[in-house]
Amino acid sequence: MRPRLVVGLTGGIASGKSTVADLFINQGITVIDADILAREAVEPGRPALTEIAAEFGPHVLTSSGTLDRARLRERVFADPEARRRLEEIVHPWVRAAILERLEQADGAYCVLCIPLLLESNQEEIVDRILVVDVPEEVQIQRVRDRDGSSRDTIEGILAAQVSRRERLAAADDVIDNDGELESLRKRVAQLHHFYLDIAERCE
């Protein structure tokens, strides 16, 4: 049975969504991670992977038949039309998996961690939007520190996402993640109790 309240957790690349999601898990809340479901959707033997190989060619697969994510990422972020075609393949499978997990979730509320919530126009499946926000320069530095990507690559990824301004305009709640972990933990605890109160009123 779907929880009374579904919170859509989103934010730009390297904003700290996973850290926030983990803090909600520590509060005993079910977190559904769309990135995990997206990875499951393109595992070997899944229809989505077959469709991707047919659309983009066998070179996007590794020698073992798994998706070569780095090669595909380079292709789609350099070509908006290719990115659109990829999303048309993957998003329906991920959406179906999300809806299935929502029906299985328990508790007064649950968190759906979905980086492309706004980009994929899926706001209607959540009741509130929680944005994890950091300045763009912080995002760029975090990604460079994390995986050594070039600034051009990172800026291409940022350009493919909605702007910070648009994301904040869509938010019901915002977490500023440009500080210490302890302040982040306190903010999540505040929101946890806030969401419990909202869920109770939804009964």
Side-chain angles (χ1 to χ4, degrees):
M1 181 178 176
R2 182 186 171 106
R4 295 187 294 274
L5 177 69
V6 178
V7 177
L9 171 62
T10 194
I13 184 172
S15 58
K17 297 178 296 296
S18 296
T19 301
V20 171
D22 287 343
L23 291 172
F24 275 106
I25 291 172
N26 291 344
Q27 295 285 350
I29 298 303
T30 297
V31 172
I32 300 167
D33 190 327
D35 275 351
I36 292 175
L37 298 179
R39 287 194 290 271
E40 292 175 354
V42 296
E43 288 177 348
R46 296 292 183 93
L49 183 60
T50 302
E51 291 180 47
I52 289 171
E55 176 67 33
F56 295 99
H59 63 279
V60 299
L61 303 180
T62 67
S63 58
S64 61
T66 61
L67 184 64
D68 188 333
R69 297 177 186 281
R71 185 182 291 258
L72 183 61
R73 184 168 57 245
E74 287 179 7
R75 168 78 183 276
V76 300
F77 281 115
D79 182 349
E81 178 60 22
R83 185 173 68 250
R84 184 191 63 79
R85 295 199 306 272
L86 177 64
E87 290 170 351
E88 287 180 347
I89 293 171
V90 176
H91 284 179
W93 292 100
V94 176
R95 181 183 175 89
I98 286 171
L99 295 175
E100 181 181 350
R101 298 295 177 88
L102 284 174
E103 291 300 320
Q104 298 170 351
D106 55 10
Y109 78 93
C110 74
V111 171
L112 170 59
C113 184
I114 178 167
L116 299 180
L117 175 66
L118 302 175
E119 291 86 346
S120 58
N121 299 309
Q122 298 198 81
E123 300 96 318
E124 78 281 357
I125 66 176
V126 303
D127 303 302
R128 292 186 72 86
I129 296 176
L130 170 59
V131 168
V132 184
D133 180 57
V134 292
E136 189 171 288
E137 280 302 318
V138 174
Q139 293 177 271
I140 292 171
Q141 190 58 52
R142 285 179 179 176
V143 177
R144 296 185 74 173
D145 291 344
R146 184 176 68 192
D147 57 25
S149 295
S150 70
R151 188 180 183 94
D152 286 346
T153 297
I154 301 166
E155 289 180 345
I157 295 171
L158 289 170
Q161 300 180 339
V162 300
S163 69
R164 183 186 184 193
R165 178 183 57 79
E166 291 173 295
R167 194 179 292 115
L168 289 173
D172 296 294
D173 309 296
V174 176
I175 289 180
D176 180 358
N177 190 24
D178 195 19
E180 299 296 323
L181 178 60
E182 185 56 33
S183 63
L184 192 65
R185 186 177 290 111
K186 289 179 180 177
R187 178 62 174 144
V188 169
Q190 291 172 348
L191 286 169
H192 170 61
H193 293 293
F194 176 59
Y195 293 148
L196 287 175
D197 288 341
I198 294 177
E200 286 182 7
R201 294 198 296 270
C202 291
E203 288 185 318

